[in-house]
Amino acid sequence: NAGVTQTPKFQVLKTGQSMTLQCAQDMNHEYMSWYRQDPGMGLRLIHYSVGAGITDQGEVPNGYNVSRSTTEDFPLRLLSAAPSQTSVYFCASRHPGNEAFFGQGTRLTVV
Amino acid sequence: GENVEQHPSTLSVQEGDSAVIKCTYSDSASNYFPWYKQELGKRPQLIIDIRSNVGEKKDQRIAVTLNKTAKHFSLHITETQPEDSAVYFCAASRGGSNYKLTFGKGTLLTVNP
């Protein structure tokens, strides 16, 4: 049982490049989400999904896309990277009303 | 939507002292309140949680209290140790089909030996 697996751990992008952050969970959780963590800002919700085929925007969705084709996978796509997207990204999954399990995080730098 | 305020943003204590971190929430329908600990460079991990039908919960040196009327909850760490040094986040969530967890901005706790 691996929990939530998130890749890559580190990434450097040039402004304008695109990339996909991968997230997979093996706990059969319905709910998956992506957060970004910036100093002094806590964990801010980017996008979330309550099940396969269902996604919705969180607090800071601009510049990001998601899809949920299976229960296990919830990739986050950066369409055209900007320096403002330099951050640490966490994927998380949970059953409703229970704890969230986080991936190991991706430290993204956009130059 | 839900808004969670967390105070203080930084807290420094001497080893063996107690530490208290407080959070307030805005959505009276929230009924699940977890606390996460995040060590430097690591992922957040749950340390304790409380549900709205309980006023207090303890786990060894950690306790959480909930006041639903005032819409605030607190984390209490007794007999602090250097390994308690980390960032602590509170969060709030409704039940049912609303799965979103809203986090506070975090408290950096430093325990000085």
Side-chain angles (χ1 to χ4, degrees), chain A residues 1 5 33-34 42 44 47 64 69 75 79 90 100 102 105 111:
Chain A
N1 190 332
T5 303
S33 53
W34 278 100
R44 292 185 293 170
H47 284 286
Y64 308 95
S69 56
L79 309 172
F90 286 100
F102 286 85
V111 298

Side-chain angles (χ1 to χ4, degrees), chain A residues 4 30-31 35 37 40-43 45 48 50 57 90 94-105 107, chain B residues 32 34 36 38 41-46 49 51 87 89 93-106:
Chain A
V4 180
E30 299 156 333
Y31 182 67
Y35 293 89
Q37 183 175 26
M41 301 297 289
L43 292 157
L45 184 64
Y48 66 98
V50 299
Q57 297 181 350
F90 286 100
R94 66 190 292 239
H95 279 312
N98 289 307
E99 73 172 287
F101 292 86
F102 286 85
Q104 65 179 356
R107 185 171 295 274
Chain B
Y32 176 66
Y36 287 82
Q38 185 182 29
K42 301 288 182 65
R43 73 190 81 187
Q45 291 193 295
L46 182 78
D49 57 11
R51 301 180 191 280
V87 177
F89 292 99
S93 170
R94 289 186 176 189
S97 61
N98 188 321
Y99 298 21
K100 282 194 286 184
L101 264 179
T102 301
F103 286 85
K105 287 185 167 44

Side-chain angles (χ1 to χ4, degrees), chain A residues 27 47 63 71 77 87 90-91 96 105:
Chain A
M27 297 173 282
H47 284 286
T71 299
R77 298 182 186 85
S87 188
F90 286 100
C91 176

Side-chain angles (χ1 to χ4, degrees), chain A residues 7 15 28 51 63 107:
Chain A
T7 57
T15 297
N28 201 31
R107 185 171 295 274

Side-chain angles (χ1 to χ4, degrees), chain B residues 5-111:
Chain B
E5 299 280 344
Q6 182 173 346
H7 298 281
S9 57
T10 61
L11 180 59
S12 182
V13 300
Q14 290 299 122
E15 183 176 359
D17 287 350
S18 295
V20 180
I21 302 170
K22 299 181 179 181
C23 289
T24 60
Y25 61 98
S26 61
D27 186 351
S28 56
S30 288
N31 60 11
Y32 176 66
F33 307 94
W35 285 89
Y36 287 82
K37 176 183 180 181
Q38 185 182 29
E39 297 177 348
L40 188 62
K42 301 288 182 65
R43 73 190 81 187
Q45 291 193 295
L46 182 78
I47 55 171
I48 195 167
D49 57 11
I50 191 167
R51 301 180 191 280
S52 59
N53 58 346
V54 175
E56 183 176 5
K57 184 176 179 181
K58 290 183 179 179
D59 183 3
Q60 299 183 336
R61 295 186 297 109
I62 294 173
V64 58
T65 58
L66 171 65
N67 183 327
K68 283 212 71 180
T69 302
K71 290 190 282 187
H72 67 71
F73 56 112
S74 300
L75 178 71
H76 304 254
I77 306 174
T78 59
E79 301 172 17
T80 54
Q81 301 167 2
E83 51 265 38
D84 293 329
S85 296
V87 177
Y88 292 80
F89 292 99
C90 63
S93 170
R94 289 186 176 189
S97 61
N98 188 321
Y99 298 21
K100 282 194 286 184
L101 264 179
T102 301
F103 286 85
K105 287 185 167 44
T107 296
L108 174 61
L109 173 64
T110 303
V111 180

Side-chain angles (χ1 to χ4, degrees), chain A residues 64-109:
Chain A
Y64 308 95
N65 271 0
V66 292
S67 59
R68 184 93 179 270
S69 56
T70 66
T71 299
E72 294 78 20
D73 300 299
F74 190 46
L76 177 72
R77 298 182 186 85
L78 279 71
L79 309 172
S80 177
S84 60
Q85 294 179 303
T86 293
S87 188
V88 179
Y89 292 85
F90 286 100
C91 176
S93 73
R94 66 190 292 239
H95 279 312
N98 289 307
E99 73 172 287
F101 292 86
F102 286 85
Q104 65 179 356
T106 298
R107 185 171 295 274
L108 175 68
T109 302

